[in-house]
Amino acid sequence: MTNTTMKKAAIILSFSILITAFSGQAWAEQGTNTSTSASVSSSASKNPYEVAGINDPAEFTAYFAKLQKAVKDNKPAEVADLISYPMNLNKDNKTYVFYNKAEFIKKYDRIFTALVREKVLAQRVDKLFVNYQGIMVEDGDLWMGKQNNKLGVIAVNVTNNPYEVAGISNPIVFEHNFSLLQKVVTEGKKSEVAKLMVYPLKVNTKGKTIEIKTKKDFIAKYNQIMTAKVKKALLAQKVDKVFVNWEGVMVGDGELWIGQFGQQVGVFVINQ
C-alpha cells in the first residue's frame, strides 16, 4: 500500500465524517473535497488502536472477527448490527448517508459490493492501517471506528466496477488481464496466452463445440483456436467499449467471452 493511496483514502474518510454531521437526508448527494490530508500515526503502545479512540484492543479484534464472519456467511442483517450509524457510502464522487439498519440492509449489495467483501475477508487484523480518523481496511475500502460510543463501520468507499454484473469482483484485475491478453497475442506468446484461458475452454466453430481441457492442449492447437478473425476482434476491442451482461464480458461481436471463475479472470468461450 503506498503513502499516496493511504492519504487519499484517509482524505475521503475525513470528508465523509463531515458530511454525516451536516446531511439532512439518507442518500443525500454531496460533492467530495480532497483539500486536506490525514497524517499517518504510529504507536509503540500495546494497544495499536488507541490513536483511533479504541481503548480495548481485545474488543476490536473480537469485533473484526465478527464482521468477517458475517460477511463470509453473507448475512446482511448481522453485518447491519456491526455498523455505526450514520454510516457513509462514498461512490462515484458522491456521498450517501445511511441512518439505520433497515436502510443499510435494503442497499446491502450496493454498499458491500463483491470487491468490498473480498477486501474485508482478505484483511489480516494485524496489518490494518490505523490513524486518528479510524481503522482502515486494505486501500481505504472500509473504515471502522467509534461513533456515538459504538464500535462499527463508519464509512465504505466503493470503486466503480462496470463488470460487476458479469461476476467480476475487481475491475483492476479484469482490465489488467485484458490488456495483458492483447499484448501477448500481439507478441505471439502462445504459452502466455494459454495462462489467460479458463479450462475447460469452449471453442465454438461451424456449429460444433470443442472443449480444450488444458494449457498444453491449447498451445498445441493455438493456430486453430486463435484464428485471424478472433485475433482481429480482440486487438480492435477498446476496454471501455466492451459489452457486459450476466453471462460475462463480450469482446468484438462475441468472438471471445471473459469471466471470473473462483479467483481467475480469463477467456472461457471463443466463437470463431
Side-chain angles (χ1 to χ4, degrees):
M1 185 189 306
T2 65
N3 286 334
T4 300
T5 301
M6 290 190 289
K7 287 180 181 178
K8 182 178 179 182
I11 290 165
I12 292 173
L13 174 66
S14 179
F15 180 74
S16 66
I17 290 171
L18 292 175
I19 289 294
T20 299
F22 297 105
S23 294
Q25 299 176 344
W27 285 80
E29 297 180 2
Q30 302 286 346
T32 57
N33 185 337
T34 57
S35 60
T36 58
S37 61
S39 60
V40 177
S41 300
S42 61
S43 173
S45 168
K46 291 181 179 179
N47 179 5
Y49 316 113
E50 186 175 5
V51 69
I54 296 169
N55 297 322
D56 184 353
E59 176 192 11
F60 175 77
T61 53
Y63 162 83
F64 191 63
K66 285 181 183 178
L67 178 64
Q68 288 185 313
K69 185 177 187 304
V71 170
K72 183 179 180 180
D73 293 344
N74 193 30
K75 294 184 176 179
E78 290 186 14
V79 176
D81 287 332
L82 299 168
I83 306 299
S84 182
Y85 301 97
M87 187 215 79
N88 293 334
L89 169 66
N90 299 305
K91 182 177 183 180
D92 298 330
N93 296 318
K94 296 177 183 178
T95 296
Y96 306 93
V97 185
F98 293 84
Y99 290 94
N100 55 56
K101 295 177 186 177
E103 291 176 357
F104 177 85
I105 293 170
K106 185 177 180 180
K107 301 291 184 181
Y108 179 76
D109 289 333
R110 293 174 65 181
I111 304 167
F112 271 63
T113 63
L115 182 58
V116 171
R117 296 194 300 269
E118 181 182 303
K119 294 292 186 72
V120 169
L121 296 178
Q123 179 68 63
R124 286 177 49 182
V125 71
D126 61 336
K127 298 295 182 181
L128 287 158
F129 169 77
V130 185
N131 71 8
Y132 72 95
Q133 293 177 307
I135 301 171
M136 185 177 86
V137 169
E138 291 282 329
D139 295 321
D141 303 87
L142 181 145
W143 283 82
M144 298 163 288
K146 274 205 168 178
Q147 188 171 238
N148 299 322
N149 293 317
K150 180 182 178 181
L151 175 60
V153 175
I154 56 177
V156 175
N157 298 310
V158 174
T159 301
N160 183 41
N161 182 3
Y163 319 110
E164 187 170 8
V165 70
I168 293 172
S169 60
N170 191 329
I172 296 171
V173 171
F174 171 80
E175 290 173 4
H176 168 78
N177 284 13
F178 184 77
S179 176
L180 180 60
L181 179 61
Q182 288 182 316
K183 180 177 183 292
V184 294
V185 166
T186 299
E187 295 171 351
K189 294 181 177 178
K190 299 178 182 180
S191 61
E192 296 302 310
V193 177
K195 293 177 183 177
L196 295 167
M197 302 292 132
V198 175
Y199 301 97
L201 170 69
K202 291 184 178 179
V203 179
N204 297 312
T205 180
K206 297 178 181 179
K208 296 180 180 180
T209 298
I210 301 168
E211 281 198 352
I212 307 299
K213 296 183 178 180
T214 65
K215 293 177 185 177
K216 184 177 179 180
D217 194 14
F218 177 86
I219 293 169
K221 297 176 181 176
Y222 182 85
N223 293 330
Q224 296 166 257
I225 299 167
M226 298 297 293
T227 63
K229 178 176 177 284
V230 170
K231 288 189 282 189
K232 182 179 179 180
L234 171 64
L235 300 180
Q237 181 69 63
K238 294 183 181 298
V239 71
D240 60 340
K241 300 295 183 183
V242 293
F243 171 76
V244 185
N245 69 12
W246 62 272
E247 294 179 293
V249 180
M250 186 178 83
V251 175
D253 292 322
E255 283 84 359
L256 300 97
W257 282 84
I258 301 172
Q260 180 167 335
F261 298 82
Q263 296 301 309
Q264 184 184 4
V265 174
V267 176
F268 64 95
V269 172
I270 293 177
N271 296 306
Q272 295 180 336

